[in-house]
């Protein structure tokens, strides 16, 4: 594995890590995390546990939402000096609702190599087992935090024909489904994918009305991390 390019600059590796099950690390991800000079991580304590699990003792620097512009400049300088860097987030693929975009943009604009090391990603994992159309879909990230903004968002998506998908937290899953049920038809098919790859993994495909009932009545369905997938609107005949 070459960690520097012809100009002597280092490469930036964007490395996906597991979203729950540590065994979902790829061989290539382990190899890269061992060989680079530096690992830039969203939460260095969190990533330390992952590295320890794979016997990786590499140098960690922090790159998170609040320091990323400044940290990216420092990391770009290190790449220019010939150091190779791996970028990881707490879980899944960096940049997908996670830090990393300013660094990747900066490195590419500087003409240096950015190498993706693919692996787990919650939205793709959920889509692969959802049983809803996936030929085309739109990923919406996290929804707005206020109820009125969420309802406005759902109104805009009401007639969308493609499957759409978003990330949600345990704190808002119930309120989000309640808002959705005020705007979308209750018979719209949705998938709630919870705690993917973990002990309590649950993937439920049902109508919006039944999903709301389930999440309201079952405490466990309000725990953990969530991906929600919504079927597109049926085309008018
Ligand atoms: N970059 C990550 C990825 O590739 O999936 C996503 C990071 S984002 C900050 C975290 C959100 O992803 C969670 O709030 C949840 O919506 C979703 N997520 C992450 N892991 C998950 C899991 N194991 N099961 C369900 N959803 C998960």
């Amino acid at each position: 594995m070459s960690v520097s390019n012809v100009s002597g600059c280092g490469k930036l590796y964007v490395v996906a890590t597991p979203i729950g099950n540590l065994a979902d690390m790829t061989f290539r991800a382990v190899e890269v995390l061992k060989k680079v000079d530096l690992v830039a991580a969203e939460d260095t304590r969190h990533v330390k546990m992952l590295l320890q699990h794979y016997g990786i003792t590499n140098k960690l620097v922090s790159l998170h939402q609040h320091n990323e512009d400044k940290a990216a400049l420092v990391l770009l300088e290190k790449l220019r000096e010939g150091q190779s860097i791996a970028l990881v987030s707490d879980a899944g693929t960096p940049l997908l609702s996670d830090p990393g975009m300013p660094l990747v943009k900066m490195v590419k604009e500087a003409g240096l190599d950015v190498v993706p090391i693919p692996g787990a990603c919650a939205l793709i994992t959920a889509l692969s087992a959802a049983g809803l159309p996936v030929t085309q879909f739109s990923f919406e990230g996290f929804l707005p935090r206020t109820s009125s903004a969420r309802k406005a968002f759902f109104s805009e998506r009401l007639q969308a024909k493609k499957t759409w998908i978003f990330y949600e937290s345990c704190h808002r899953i119930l309120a989000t489904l309640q808002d959705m049920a005020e705007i979308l038809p209750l018979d719209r098919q949705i998938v709630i994918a919870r705690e993917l790859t973990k002990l309590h993994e649950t993937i439920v495909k049902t109508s919006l009305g039944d999903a709301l009932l389930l999440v309201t009545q079952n405490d466990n369905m309000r725990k953990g991390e969530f991906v929600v997938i919504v079927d597109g609107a049926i085309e008018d005949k």
Side-chain angles (χ1 to χ4, degrees):
M1 185 186 78
S2 157
V3 291
S4 64
N5 61 22
V6 274
S7 63
C9 292
K11 293 180 182 180
L12 174 68
Y13 294 86
V14 182
V15 182
T17 56
I19 55 168
N21 189 327
L22 288 185
D24 289 334
M25 190 79 172
T26 69
F27 289 116
R28 194 162 166 233
V30 173
E31 186 192 12
V32 167
L33 290 174
K34 276 185 179 161
K35 288 198 178 166
V36 289
D37 296 300
L38 198 61
V39 178
E42 186 182 6
D43 178 342
T44 51
R45 282 169 308 175
H46 185 95
V47 168
K48 210 175 231 172
M49 287 191 287
L50 176 76
L51 298 192
Q52 270 169 3
H53 185 82
Y54 284 97
I56 302 167
T57 50
N58 210 333
K59 206 167 137 197
L60 283 163
V61 293
S62 122
L63 180 133
H64 50 72
Q65 203 188 343
H66 304 292
N67 77 347
E68 51 179 339
D69 289 333
K70 221 165 145 191
L73 280 170
V74 176
L75 293 174
L76 177 60
E77 209 36 56
K78 291 187 185 298
L79 289 166
R80 283 198 165 117
E81 287 165 6
Q83 296 194 36
S84 57
I85 299 173
L87 169 68
V88 295
S89 59
D90 286 354
T93 302
L95 278 77
L96 273 292
S97 298
D98 264 339
M101 178 59 195
L103 176 62
V104 169
K105 186 167 179 278
M106 210 181 271
V107 172
K108 288 192 85 71
E109 281 171 2
L112 307 191
D113 292 339
V114 178
V115 184
I117 307 295
C121 178
L123 81 107
I124 301 299
T125 306
L127 279 171
S128 70
L132 285 174
V134 292
T135 315
Q136 291 188 312
F137 62 88
S138 74
F139 173 55
E140 310 292 344
F142 284 102
L143 300 193
R145 282 166 176 252
T146 65
S147 175
S148 57
R150 274 198 302 266
K151 285 182 197 165
F153 170 86
F154 292 138
S155 298
E156 279 171 26
R157 296 293 172 292
L158 184 60
Q159 300 301 337
K161 303 284 184 271
K162 291 177 199 165
T163 299
W164 42 284
I165 175 164
F166 60 90
Y167 284 161
E168 194 48 280
S169 78
C170 55
H171 308 294
R172 279 187 293 274
I173 186 70
L174 180 57
T176 293
L177 291 176
Q178 285 167 336
D179 289 340
M180 204 194 289
E182 285 189 34
I183 310 292
L184 264 63
L186 292 180
D187 62 354
R188 182 71 68 90
Q189 288 291 293
I190 75 166
V191 172
I192 298 183
R194 171 184 163 262
E195 293 292 86
L196 290 164
T197 76
K198 303 184 199 175
L199 183 62
H200 298 293
E201 178 179 87
T202 316
I203 305 172
V204 184
K205 181 185 181 196
T206 185
S207 66
L208 170 56
D210 284 351
L212 176 57
L213 217 60
L214 181 68
V215 173
T216 305
Q217 292 173 347
N218 184 339
D219 293 352
N220 287 330
M221 285 300 292
R222 298 192 297 277
K223 290 179 186 158
E225 299 189 281
F226 295 82
V227 179
V228 180
I229 310 176
V230 184
D231 199 6
I234 296 166
E235 305 245 7
D236 291 334
K237 299 274 178 223

